[in-house]
Amino acid sequence: MSSATTVSTVHPVDQILPARQMLTLGLQHMAVSYIGAIAVPLIVASALKMSQADTVVLISTTLFCSGIATLLQTVGFWKFGVRLPILQGVAFSSVGPVIAIGTNPQVGFAGVCGAVIGAGIFTMLAAPFVGRLRRFFPPVVTGCIVTVIGLQLFPIAYEWVGGGRNASNFGAPAYLAVAIVVLATILLVNRYGSPMLRNMAVLIGMLVGAALAYGLGMGSFQSVQQSPWLTVPYPFYFGLPTFSLVPIATMIVVMIVQMVESMGLFVAIGDIVDKPVEEKQVINGLRANGLASTIAGMFAAFPFIAFMENVGLVILTGVRSRWVVAISGLLMCLVALVPKAGAIIASMPTAALGGAGIAMFGVVAAAGIQTLAKVDYERNRYNVLIVGFTIAAALVPVLAPTLFKQMPEWCQPFLHSSVVIACLVSVLLNAALNGVSVPDASASKPASHSL
């Protein structure tokens, strides 16, 4: 058998690229996700009134555990890991419960760690049962989920483009100019660049935008000067975890929400990279989420979920290798040890990040629309209702966030996530209208989303 034939049998998701390319593309993934990765520990540290030293440790442990969680999902071992190009980051849905538990004087941060560990163990045990729901996710459902993922991320990108939520001159023409330059650079590199440069189009666009932003007086390296050179994350920095029933039950609710969301994400990402995800892989992915959360609780970090920013990067570059994202996970572990290096990445002007965000989130929404375009609406009129009702319901948290404010407290975690709403509504409607055992009237082969 020739070498060409051998290479062709390897799915793009499993391909190992040349070392230099792997490192560069891995750095691109990490740069895109870094701001989101440190946002949750910063919010929690501020709410719990932690010292500067403890805040640095919390950020480092969160990054370190994000890297471990990414490696568990991309590389995997035994019955753990979905083995797709998924970069893991802290779930924002955990912020409220973590702060509520941590500010309770009878529980404290040690109780947060115990709750995360307990919920992680619960997730590993529940994974086989939840994973059986995979058959409820045909193309009409996954298409809705991917489309909603892209649409619900746009407000974040627009906020970055305007200079950040707290910018005194939000939306200044200079910020908009930087974002436009980033978008133009990404388009030009994709149009005229070599295949290697096209793979790095987002990183190149961000660097060009950052250079322009610094030239216009945006951004600051003050955080770089204040950050220490070395931090070594280690377990139980904040003391041995304590285990209480109510905090653990609270975090289990968060993990149930994340299991629903993660299952939809696994199936959707599998369709995007043209590697359909079966029930066994969903179970392994959920197990990896549980194990990552258990480890995170030991290191004083939080539950993890897939970062959709990086899925947009996979679509935009066309590089689907899970090993590239695994390199990004390793880089996150290394950056966690050197806070000053992480501060350099964090100093990226938000307007430059916003231009890249519009490009990445836009192609995620386009990928969902591409999948929905393959769904049969003529012979099965119910599919129109499923798509229309799902998108209308899922965008409520984005467009009218106070609409569900008076709903019961127990269901609030499910109503704050557009992806969870998209999963629940599309699955229930498809089961009710199309039936579970009847195949979805869609094309038998998913659309290719590579550019």
Side-chain angles (χ1 to χ4, degrees), residues 201-284:
V202 174
L203 182 60
I204 294 171
M206 289 171 62
L207 291 176
V208 171
L212 175 61
Y214 284 123
L216 295 174
M218 303 177 196
S220 171
F221 288 104
Q222 184 178 358
S223 60
V224 179
Q225 299 172 352
Q226 295 175 347
S227 299
W229 278 104
L230 184 65
T231 297
V232 180
Y234 59 89
F236 312 125
Y237 172 85
F238 293 95
L240 292 175
T242 58
F243 301 92
S244 302
L245 182 59
V246 173
I248 292 175
T250 301
M251 199 57 65
I252 283 176
V253 172
V254 174
M255 293 303 294
I256 291 173
V257 173
Q258 289 185 20
M259 279 193 281
V260 174
E261 188 169 354
S262 293
M263 183 163 50
L265 293 177
F266 293 155
V267 176
I269 293 169
D271 285 349
I272 287 172
V273 298
D274 296 330
K275 191 171 185 180
V277 173
E278 304 298 332
E279 178 182 310
K280 179 181 177 181
Q281 291 171 277
V282 172
I283 294 172
N284 291 345

Side-chain angles (χ1 to χ4, degrees), residues 34 37-42 45 50 52-68 90 227-235 237-238 296 299-302 304 329-343:
Y34 189 85
I38 66 174
V40 170
L42 281 173
M50 290 185 175
Q52 178 66 26
D54 286 348
T55 301
V56 170
V57 170
L58 192 64
I59 292 172
S60 294
T61 55
T62 302
L63 282 173
F64 186 76
C65 292
S66 293
I68 292 175
V90 179
S227 299
W229 278 104
L230 184 65
T231 297
V232 180
Y234 59 89
Y237 172 85
F238 293 95
F299 278 87
F302 314 104
F304 296 98
L330 284 175
L331 291 174
M332 293 181 80
C333 291
L334 292 175
V335 169
L337 304 178
V338 188
K340 197 173 287 290

Side-chain angles (χ1 to χ4, degrees), residues 116-402:
V116 174
I117 292 172
I121 294 172
F122 167 83
T123 302
M124 284 189 283
L125 296 175
F129 303 99
V130 178
R132 292 174 186 169
L133 301 176
R134 164 64 183 93
R135 63 196 178 104
F136 291 91
F137 289 77
V140 68
V141 171
T142 57
C144 287
I145 293 171
V146 176
T147 303
V148 167
I149 287 169
L151 295 177
Q152 60 106 22
L153 287 171
F154 279 134
I156 299 174
Y158 299 151
E159 188 176 282
W160 289 341
V161 168
R165 179 179 301 178
N166 299 321
S168 58
N169 57 341
F170 182 84
Y175 293 139
L176 303 182
V178 170
I180 291 172
V181 167
V182 172
L183 284 168
T185 302
I186 292 173
L187 289 172
L188 289 172
V189 172
N190 270 288
R191 178 65 179 85
Y192 299 106
S194 65
M196 179 62 182
L197 288 178
R198 289 200 296 270
N199 292 341
M200 299 185 296
V202 174
L203 182 60
I204 294 171
M206 289 171 62
L207 291 176
V208 171
L212 175 61
Y214 284 123
L216 295 174
M218 303 177 196
S220 171
F221 288 104
Q222 184 178 358
S223 60
V224 179
Q225 299 172 352
Q226 295 175 347
S227 299
W229 278 104
L230 184 65
T231 297
V232 180
Y234 59 89
F236 312 125
Y237 172 85
F238 293 95
L240 292 175
T242 58
F243 301 92
S244 302
L245 182 59
V246 173
I248 292 175
T250 301
M251 199 57 65
I252 283 176
V253 172
V254 174
M255 293 303 294
I256 291 173
V257 173
Q258 289 185 20
M259 279 193 281
V260 174
E261 188 169 354
S262 293
M263 183 163 50
L265 293 177
F266 293 155
V267 176
I269 293 169
D271 285 349
I272 287 172
V273 298
D274 296 330
K275 191 171 185 180
V277 173
E278 304 298 332
E279 178 182 310
K280 179 181 177 181
Q281 291 171 277
V282 172
I283 294 172
N284 291 345
L286 295 176
R287 278 201 194 101
N289 272 355
L291 179 58
S293 296
T294 303
I295 295 171
M298 297 178 184
F299 278 87
F302 314 104
F304 296 98
I305 201 165
F307 265 8
M308 292 311 297
E309 295 93 325
N310 297 86
V311 177
L313 193 57
V314 169
I315 301 171
L316 199 57
T317 63
V319 179
R320 293 176 277 176
S321 172
R322 61 189 173 101
W323 297 103
V324 167
V325 183
I327 292 296
S328 182
L330 284 175
L331 291 174
M332 293 181 80
C333 291
L334 292 175
V335 169
L337 304 178
V338 188
K340 197 173 287 290
I344 294 174
I345 301 174
S347 64
M348 173 76 66
T350 54
L353 191 61
I358 288 177
M360 292 184 296
F361 304 160
V363 296
V364 171
I369 294 170
Q370 191 175 357
T371 297
L372 291 177
K374 300 295 182 179
V375 176
D376 189 344
Y377 300 102
E378 295 184 3
R379 288 179 297 174
N380 186 347
R381 61 188 179 88
Y382 295 135
N383 285 331
V384 176
L385 299 177
I386 294 169
V387 175
F389 283 29
T390 298
I391 294 177
L395 292 182
V396 168
V398 177
L399 302 178
T402 61

Side-chain angles (χ1 to χ4, degrees), residues 71-143:
L71 290 170
L72 283 174
Q73 289 292 12
T74 53
V75 179
F77 74 97
W78 192 44
K79 295 183 179 181
F80 292 85
V82 71
R83 293 170 175 83
L84 288 175
I86 295 175
L87 193 143
Q88 297 283 96
V90 179
F92 275 85
S93 59
S94 65
V95 172
V98 164
I99 293 175
I101 296 170
T103 52
N104 186 334
Q106 297 179 342
V107 180
F109 199 75
V112 172
C113 296
V116 174
I117 292 172
I121 294 172
F122 167 83
T123 302
M124 284 189 283
L125 296 175
F129 303 99
V130 178
R132 292 174 186 169
L133 301 176
R134 164 64 183 93
R135 63 196 178 104
F136 291 91
F137 289 77
V140 68
V141 171
T142 57

